[in-house]
Amino acid sequence: NNHLNSYQLLMVACKIKQELDFVNSNYYLQYYVRDLQYYVNTYTTLKNNLPSSVTALLWDSYVLIESRKHSGYTLYGSARGNIYTYPYNYEGGSNQKWIVYLSDHGRYFRLNNKQNELFLYATGDGSAYGDYSSSIKDYSDQWQITPIENGDYFYFENRANYRILDANDIFCSSVFSCSSSRLCCCTTVHAYSSYKRTNYQQWKIL
């Protein structure tokens, strides 16, 4: 179904969440008690028919973002603002958790690292970094998230410069030492301008 492979799916999902939050609110309980269960059931059914990745993106308190090319490697934001992917649960996994904020009713999203509170953004030269919101002056910390393969995977396209979030090849180094091993493997993450999209640029939301 092509409707599942469009950013508009997330906009519809945001509307479902908005309406479900409303019918569960004190305001609705005060004025519309008669119809409450009908609308709760209706919007809950709509929510349950969404891909699980979409409900995680909008309803979970945080998400993990896994590279399709490098299974088991999830997006990691360092305290210095560098962006990598590391094996899941690297150093406890706290730097691999991302809080999702909506912009423009779900057409765009902002990703905030749960550990260090830095927002993921892209520069015009193809770099991906994390920074505090007050330091980001344009839309470079907003991403259009487009599902593919019926919501199994996603592209992240930057609103300001149209660059696509991309995980490079894995490299291993003792400099990036893991707690469980002297040698640690990771990937750097960039935001490239690409007309031919590959699984390097495809991500799974967990």
Side-chain angles (χ1 to χ4, degrees):
N1 190 324
N2 288 332
H3 295 294
L4 293 178
N5 296 322
S6 167
Y7 72 87
Q8 293 167 328
L9 170 65
L10 299 184
M11 297 184 72
V12 171
C14 287
K15 182 63 176 177
I16 294 170
K17 184 179 189 301
Q18 178 185 354
E19 295 299 328
L20 191 54
D21 289 344
F22 176 68
V23 297
N24 284 320
S25 68
N26 289 333
Y27 179 87
Y28 194 94
L29 290 173
Q30 182 177 356
Y31 293 102
Y32 302 99
V33 175
R34 284 185 309 170
D35 303 323
L36 175 63
Q37 199 57 52
Y38 169 78
Y39 286 110
V40 169
N41 290 344
T42 298
Y43 289 117
T44 299
T45 298
L46 290 172
K47 174 188 174 183
N48 291 339
N49 285 327
L50 294 169
S52 60
S53 54
V54 172
T55 57
L57 187 71
L58 296 179
W59 273 270
D60 289 1
S61 58
Y62 64 84
V63 296
L64 304 176
I65 303 172
E66 181 185 52
S67 168
R68 181 176 191 176
K69 175 66 177 180
H70 310 298
S71 180
Y73 282 68
T74 59
L75 198 66
Y76 174 101
S78 75
R80 294 183 177 182
N82 296 314
I83 306 297
Y84 303 97
T85 69
Y86 273 105
Y88 174 67
N89 212 32
Y90 171 65
E91 293 185 341
S94 56
N95 288 65
Q96 293 163 299
K97 298 173 182 177
W98 297 86
I99 301 170
V100 179
Y101 294 96
L102 307 183
S103 296
D104 288 0
H105 309 288
R107 181 162 186 172
Y108 301 99
F109 295 83
R110 300 169 74 221
L111 301 171
N112 183 240
N113 190 271
K114 191 174 188 295
Q115 175 68 15
N116 52 48
E117 301 182 352
L118 301 180
F119 283 90
L120 178 68
Y121 78 99
T123 65
D125 64 2
S127 299
Y129 292 111
D131 206 344
Y132 294 105
S133 180
S134 59
S135 300
I136 302 171
K137 305 303 182 184
D138 56 16
Y139 292 125
S140 60
D141 65 338
Q142 296 188 22
W143 301 84
Q144 186 173 89
I145 304 178
T146 302
I148 61 171
E149 298 182 25
N150 296 329
D152 287 343
Y153 299 96
F154 297 81
Y155 291 114
F156 290 73
E157 182 175 358
N158 192 265
R159 180 176 183 177
N161 49 51
Y162 307 107
R163 292 180 175 271
I164 310 296
L165 200 65
D166 181 290
N168 287 347
D169 287 325
I170 293 174
F171 69 93
C172 301
S173 172
S174 58
V175 175
F176 299 96
S177 57
C178 298
S179 56
S180 60
S181 172
R182 293 183 179 180
L183 188 66
C184 185
C185 299
C186 67
T187 80
T188 55
V189 174
H190 295 278
Y192 289 138
S193 178
S194 175
Y195 297 99
K196 183 179 180 181
R197 301 187 181 186
T198 69
N199 57 7
Y200 282 92
Q201 297 140 353
Q202 296 168 8
W203 302 84
K204 190 169 189 175
I205 295 173
L206 306 173

